[in-house]
Amino acid sequence: MDKPVPRRVTIVDVARHAQVSTTAVSKVLRNAYGASPAMRSKVQQAIAELGYRPSAAARGLRGQTYTIGVMLPELRNLFFADILDGITAQLGDSDYQVLLAPGCNGEKAEARVIDAMMDRSMDGLVLIAPVSAKSRLNEVARSVPTVVVGRHGASPAYDTVTDDDIAGAALVVEHLAGLGHRRIAHIEHHETDRVRLAEMPNAQRARGYRDAMILHGLEAEIDIASTSYTQTGGYLGAQQLLARPVRPTAIFAGADVVALGALEAIAEAGLSVPGDISVAGYDNSALAAFGPISLTSVDQDGRQMGIDAARLLVERITDRERRTAQVKLSPTLVVRRTTAAADAED
């Protein structure tokens, strides 16, 4: 015989156990004015003894669910873990809970994820490098407080947190040129949409690479493989570059996960890093710092990006009429073992 399903503890049960009214319990749950310290103590004790958990749906009907939705482009990029670390650290002492969903790097999949989070009455959204049209992002932000991370461009509806990607790319080119490299190639994420070419971090890094190469008198050496910001994209991009009649002596991968694929292709070709070719990435993720890889990489401080995103979102939830803010962090270059001086013959 099946065991009966335990009945969920309700606010009425808590009130009876604490010998107070349901209104008093509601005030304690909402941290509202009018609940004395003694009453709070009684209610909190009853909640603990009964194992009461407020219904998110019911809280949503009353105005707040205390849930924050975070959308990631994909789950394999370790840099996004740094952003999440910052978000959870900033919200650690609050009542908010973070729920994650992958956007899958496509507008349709991203739309389904965003709609699902909005349908669940989440109090706010953090969208990391969304590819949706700007009009769609503005529409979402007018419905629910939203912070966009990693996508440049101001909006009257949502706050943004970005890295100075143009400056970060320039740091890589400056470092490699300083080591004597001239044939410095870049692996970018392929993009054709006009707005995303202006706003997405991958496009900004490619622009920064071009500008820096020109600044260092290396315009004739500009060489870009356009694939994707994935390990496979890095592998295929490096294969393209290594097949050139004159291969590059250094590769700037637009993300650490791209650099990982490039390192694989270089090893398969029988070449060494940095002996035959130098490689630099972007993100300074845990992958870059891993000893056997020791990847030179741009640090855009993902944890701080997450902290700023969570702070701005809570401020937006509290004051929907506040003017939107744009936070831009300054990157630094962390030099490790994958970059070295160019061979004098090159």
Side-chain angles (χ1 to χ4, degrees):
M1 184 174 178
D2 293 337
K3 292 182 179 180
V5 178
R7 184 177 67 84
R8 184 182 181 118
V9 177
T10 69
I11 192 172
V12 174
D13 298 322
V14 173
R16 286 173 179 165
H17 194 78
Q19 296 183 329
V20 297
S21 67
T22 55
T23 301
V25 176
S26 178
K27 285 183 178 180
V28 173
L29 291 173
R30 292 182 289 111
N31 197 27
Y33 176 79
S36 68
M39 182 187 295
R40 289 183 188 279
S41 179
K42 288 176 66 176
V43 170
Q44 288 165 353
Q45 182 177 345
I47 288 172
E49 291 174 354
L50 296 177
Y52 171 73
R53 291 180 58 78
S55 164
R59 295 174 88 177
L61 291 174
R62 292 194 296 269
Q64 275 192 281
T65 61
Y66 291 94
T67 54
I68 300 295
V70 178
M71 188 199 71
L72 310 170
E74 50 105 6
L75 300 176
R76 296 177 183 85
N77 191 328
L78 290 179
F79 173 66
F80 299 137
D82 295 334
I83 298 177
L84 287 173
D85 185 40
I87 292 172
T88 55
Q90 180 67 18
L91 298 175
D93 293 331
S94 73
D95 292 328
Y96 290 105
Q97 295 296 317
V98 175
L99 300 179
L100 310 179
C104 303
N105 276 316
E107 285 194 57
K108 289 185 178 179
E110 194 171 283
R112 287 196 298 270
V113 167
I114 294 173
D115 286 344
M117 291 192 291
M118 293 173 66
D119 290 345
R120 284 157 179 78
S121 301
M122 293 187 177
D123 293 339
L125 305 179
V126 177
L127 307 180
I128 301 176
V131 297
S132 297
K134 191 159 189 174
S135 58
R136 165 64 171 160
L137 295 178
N138 282 326
E139 176 188 330
V140 169
R142 282 191 286 267
S143 298
V144 59
T146 300
V147 175
V148 172
V149 177
R151 181 160 170 170
H152 298 263
S155 164
Y158 57 81
D159 303 300
T160 62
V161 180
T162 60
D163 164 65
D164 191 338
D165 293 292
I166 291 177
L171 290 174
V172 176
V173 173
E174 181 180 14
H175 168 64
L176 293 171
L179 291 172
H181 293 279
R182 295 184 56 81
R183 296 195 301 279
I184 303 168
H186 177 52
I187 302 176
E188 71 167 1
H189 181 89
H190 181 66
E191 184 59 77
T192 57
D193 181 83
R194 180 180 58 83
V195 175
R196 291 200 293 263
L197 280 170
E199 296 188 352
M200 294 300 285
N202 48 283
Q204 293 270 312
R205 290 169 200 173
R207 175 184 162 190
Y209 159 77
R210 292 187 186 91
D211 291 348
M213 290 290 283
I214 293 170
L215 180 65
H216 288 275
L218 302 174
E219 183 174 7
E221 305 294 344
I222 291 175
D223 189 2
I224 298 177
S226 188
T227 57
S228 65
Y229 269 14
T230 62
Q231 185 172 339
T232 299
Y235 178 83
L236 296 175
Q239 281 190 324
Q240 292 177 29
L241 296 172
L242 295 177
R244 304 282 201 248
V246 181
R247 64 171 172 80
T249 63
I251 293 176
F252 164 35
D256 287 350
V257 67
V258 179
L260 186 63
L263 291 171
E264 183 182 359
I266 292 167
E268 280 189 7
L271 300 172
S272 66
V273 175
D276 295 309
I277 188 164
S278 287
V279 176
Y282 205 111
D283 291 336
N284 196 35
S285 62
L287 172 70
F290 182 54
I293 297 176
S294 192
L295 177 70
T296 292
S297 183
V298 176
D299 186 355
Q300 55 176 328
D301 202 345
R303 190 174 191 276
Q304 186 60 49
M305 293 177 83
I307 289 172
D308 287 334
R311 174 181 56 79
L312 288 173
L313 186 59
V314 172
E315 290 176 1
R316 174 67 52 199
I317 292 170
T318 304
D319 181 7
R320 294 293 297 273
E321 302 304 317
R322 174 180 60 78
R323 290 185 62 181
T324 57
Q326 293 78 44
V327 174
K328 181 180 286 190
L329 303 182
S330 298
T332 58
L333 183 68
V334 180
V335 178
R336 297 190 179 94
R337 292 198 303 269
T338 57
T339 53
D343 191 309
E345 295 181 2
D346 291 328

